[in-house]
Amino acid sequence: MADSNTYYVRPVAGVWHVTWNDSPDLISSCPSQHEAVALAQLLARHMTSQGRTAQVEVAEPELRRPTWGRKGLAGAAAAAA
């Protein structure tokens, strides 16, 4: 068993996934980044208390643009032309 563990927090399709050592197995899926980071930090502290090293890596959130305003702006531009 390895003495070093890395917990990854990544955005996937609107939720945050927590994985371990780049394993394809999902530890948890959380609705918010804050909740996912807190879980990863809890797991890392547990590993540290067991005498292992652990770290948490958080990916940047996905950029999202609101779609509700696009249709209105396109309609206003067409009406003005």
Side-chain angles (χ1 to χ4, degrees), residues 36-70:
V37 170
L39 174 62
Q41 289 173 343
L42 175 73
L43 294 169
R45 280 194 305 270
H46 174 71
M47 285 295 153
T48 303
S49 71
Q50 300 294 317
R52 300 180 181 143
T53 59
Q55 62 183 3
V56 175
E57 295 200 10
V58 181
E60 291 296 318
E62 296 173 332
L63 294 177
R64 292 184 161 203
R65 296 183 206 159
T67 58
W68 53 265
R70 291 183 189 164

Side-chain angles (χ1 to χ4, degrees), residues 6-12 15-22 26-28 30 32-41 43 55-61:
T6 304
Y7 295 95
Y8 296 94
V9 177
R10 297 182 179 110
V12 178
V15 296
W16 289 84
H17 286 183
V18 179
T19 57
W20 173 64
N21 287 349
D22 273 339
L26 179 65
I27 293 174
S28 181
C30 302
S32 70
Q33 179 183 13
H34 175 74
E35 187 178 332
V37 170
L39 174 62
Q41 289 173 343
L43 294 169
Q55 62 183 3
V56 175
E57 295 200 10
V58 181
E60 291 296 318

